[in-house]
Amino acid sequence: MQTDYIGHDRAYQKRRNDPNYEGWSSGYAEDWLRSWQPMIQTTAFPKQGKLLELGCGAGNLSIRFVQAGYEVVGVDIAPNAIAWAIENAAKAEVKATFLEADVLDLAEIADSSFDIALDGRCFHCIIGSDRRRFLENIARILKPNGILAINTMCNEVPKSTYWLDNFDPRSRQIIHDGIATRYIGDSNDILQEIMQVGFRVIDVEIVPPKDAEDLADLRAIAIKLS
Ligand SMILES: C[S@@+](CC[C@H](N)C(=O)[O-])C[C@H]1O[C@@H](n2cnc3c(N)ncnc32)[C@H](O)[C@@H]1O
């Protein structure tokens, strides 16, 4: 299936000038409290260290992780997202590094150089065999016993027109004009993908959908087996 990861840049170009968006979406303060703070508070999540956010967008999560005490690098394929993230970090007066990079490559990131890899909802953008490449790259850049923390859409899709029109139940992909833009896997299948590249899953939660138009999130923490 065809992909267009760089296509996210067109969305950022528009959203940067739209007051309804704080980044890829909006409502990050609420998202932080609902999704990320509970994750940090689990015993499985390291309380400090070097954290790489994969698909950091406009840096909204990365900035909050800096404020929570982590040393953060954010990468994203979209140049407009990275420019926006640098601007947002300056406004928030936090020190973070943002790099334009493809998470399927990450040549800029040295092997075994991070304590934590954070998937701030990028993994569900990655399609087909690229998903294994994404996970193998994460295993490469993590230190021994490094932590992968993911938050990714999963399981049932809403029963509304948008999903009926765009979701292919066989591949579990959202497809627009022949381009696969999202993978909504079964949570057990996603956990299997993670374990297959040498991680042990140490904490799992399925966060239920907020409303009838929302999807559940698989929130998982996995440790790299050295
Ligand atoms: C759903 S958005 C989430 C963005 C951000 N983490 C947030 O919470 O606002 C997914 C992000 O992944 C990025 N992305 C998608 N494919 C990518 C790739 N191959 N390499 C790097 N970033 C990618 C997109 O540009 C987008 O910023």
Side-chain angles (χ1 to χ4, degrees):
M1 182 56 67
Q2 216 183 320
T3 57
D4 179 24
Y5 302 124
I6 188 67
H8 287 88
D9 197 55
R10 291 190 292 278
Y12 280 111
Q13 228 168 349
K14 288 192 194 131
R15 290 173 193 195
R16 251 184 115 177
N17 299 313
D18 183 338
N20 293 315
Y21 287 92
E22 296 169 44
W24 181 256
S25 56
S26 57
Y28 285 100
E30 186 195 331
D31 186 45
W32 176 257
L33 294 177
R34 182 173 185 265
S35 306
W36 303 100
Q37 221 175 39
M39 188 182 238
I40 293 184
Q41 284 164 355
T42 59
T43 45
F45 201 94
K47 299 297 168 263
Q48 57 183 21
K50 240 183 122 184
L51 179 152
L52 178 69
E53 187 188 353
L54 302 137
C56 63
N60 298 280
L61 296 176
S62 285
I63 288 168
R64 284 173 170 83
F65 275 94
V66 176
Q67 289 165 336
Y70 296 88
E71 187 187 333
V72 177
V73 177
V75 295
D76 202 287
I77 200 166
N80 274 287
I82 292 300
W84 199 355
I86 292 169
E87 198 180 292
N88 281 338
K91 269 190 208 150
E93 298 182 358
V94 303
K95 201 164 155 268
T97 304
F98 293 107
L99 304 172
E100 192 184 315
D102 187 339
V103 293
L104 304 178
D105 177 24
L106 291 185
E108 309 72 357
I109 311 288
D111 294 2
S112 307
S113 55
F114 280 85
D115 301 290
I116 307 158
L118 184 84
D119 169 50
R121 304 194 173 92
C122 178
F123 192 29
H124 56 220
C125 304
I126 305 297
I127 304 297
S129 55
D130 289 345
R131 292 175 63 79
R132 189 175 175 106
R133 226 169 115 194
F134 173 86
L135 292 169
E136 284 174 346
N137 240 339
I138 292 173
R140 176 182 71 74
I141 61 91
L142 279 176
K143 295 178 186 173
N145 298 319
I147 290 291
L148 164 62
I150 72 158
N151 207 332
T152 193
M153 295 189 292
C154 67
N155 296 343
E156 294 307 309
V157 298
K159 293 176 178 39
S160 61
T161 317
Y162 170 81
W163 292 91
L164 286 173
D165 288 352
N166 300 297
F167 181 69
D168 170 33
R170 194 189 52 79
S171 63
R172 302 201 58 90
Q173 292 167 355
I174 302 179
I175 300 172
H176 292 286
D177 301 327
I179 295 171
T181 58
R182 296 290 183 270
Y183 170 72
I184 315 294
D186 173 90
S187 48
N188 287 319
D189 293 346
I190 299 171
L191 292 172
Q192 282 297 326
E193 288 181 277
I194 295 169
M195 291 188 284
Q196 276 164 10
V197 297
F199 285 92
R200 181 159 55 86
V201 176
I202 53 177
D203 196 272
V204 182
E205 193 185 341
I206 307 291
V207 183
K210 286 193 289 286
D211 53 47
E213 272 306 303
D214 193 24
L215 285 94
D217 281 324
L218 166 65
R219 187 193 293 158
I221 301 179
I223 186 164
K224 175 178 154 178
L225 301 173
S226 32

